[in-house]
Amino acid sequence: MAKAIPRIGSRRNGRIGSRTGRIGSRKSAGRIPKGVIHVQASFNNTIVTVTDVRGRVLSWSSAGTCGFKGPRRGTPFAAQTAASNAIRRVVDQGMQRAGVMIKGPGLGRDAALRAIRRSGILLAFVRDVTPMPHNGCRPPKKRRV
C-alpha cells in the first residue's frame, strides 16, 4: 500500500505538502528583480534559459518548442522567437535587470541578443562563455598505418 502524503493547510490556499518537501508552487515564488539569461546557440537549435542569480531555472524555451522543425530550428528567426518566449514569462514575474551568457557557434547568437535587448530588460553584462580548448584532448591514434 502506498504511503499517504501529509497535507499541510487547506487546499484553498494552495499550500499542499509534496514528496520533495517544497510547499506551494515555485513558479510564483515572489518577484525576481535580477536574473541571468543563458543562450546556447548550436548549429541545429537555440536554447534560451532564464535563471535567478543562484542558478535556479525560472523559464526556458528553445526553437524546437516554439514549433520550428528540422533545419529551420537553426535560423536566426527561430532563435529570436525562442528568446522572446522565454523572456516574456519572467518579465511578467517582474524581472528588470539581467546578465546574458552566450554559448556556442550558431547563427542564433546575435538574433537572440537582439530580442533580449528589445524586451525591455536592462542588461548588466553580455558574456561569451563558449568553451575553447587550450589545445584540447589528445587525438586518437591513427588506424591501420
Side-chain angles (χ1 to χ4, degrees):
M1 189 170 128
K3 187 177 165 189
I5 302 167
R7 294 243 164 82
I8 302 169
S10 70
R11 201 175 264 278
R12 235 191 341 254
N13 64 9
R15 292 172 64 85
I16 298 172
S18 66
R19 286 191 184 122
T20 55
R22 286 193 218 103
I23 298 172
S25 171
R26 279 187 63 196
K27 290 262 183 187
S28 60
R31 296 171 67 76
I32 301 103
K34 195 167 184 212
V36 183
I37 301 167
H38 301 266
V39 179
Q40 291 175 271
S42 69
F43 291 118
N44 298 321
N45 203 354
T46 304
I47 303 168
V48 181
T49 310
V50 186
T51 67
D52 60 5
V53 286
R54 291 177 59 187
R56 295 178 298 192
V57 175
L58 305 170
S59 164
W60 69 274
S61 181
S62 72
T65 58
C66 292
F68 294 93
K69 294 277 182 256
R72 288 202 300 263
R73 286 185 314 190
T75 61
F77 177 67
Q80 176 186 321
T81 310
S84 52
N85 278 6
I87 290 167
R88 193 180 310 124
R89 280 179 233 143
V90 291
V91 168
D92 293 344
Q93 289 180 16
M95 186 176 285
Q96 293 139 0
R97 284 193 312 279
V100 180
M101 309 272 231
I102 300 179
K103 183 190 284 188
L107 296 171
R109 294 165 57 99
D110 300 331
L113 185 57
R114 241 177 277 128
I116 292 165
R117 281 193 193 279
R118 247 185 276 135
S119 69
I121 290 181
L122 297 172
L123 299 186
F125 60 86
V126 178
R127 195 170 293 158
D128 186 6
V129 290
T130 305
M132 287 288 187
H134 297 283
N135 216 10
C137 301
R138 181 179 174 145
K141 66 178 187 177
K142 296 287 181 274
R143 292 167 35 146
R144 290 190 291 278
V145 176

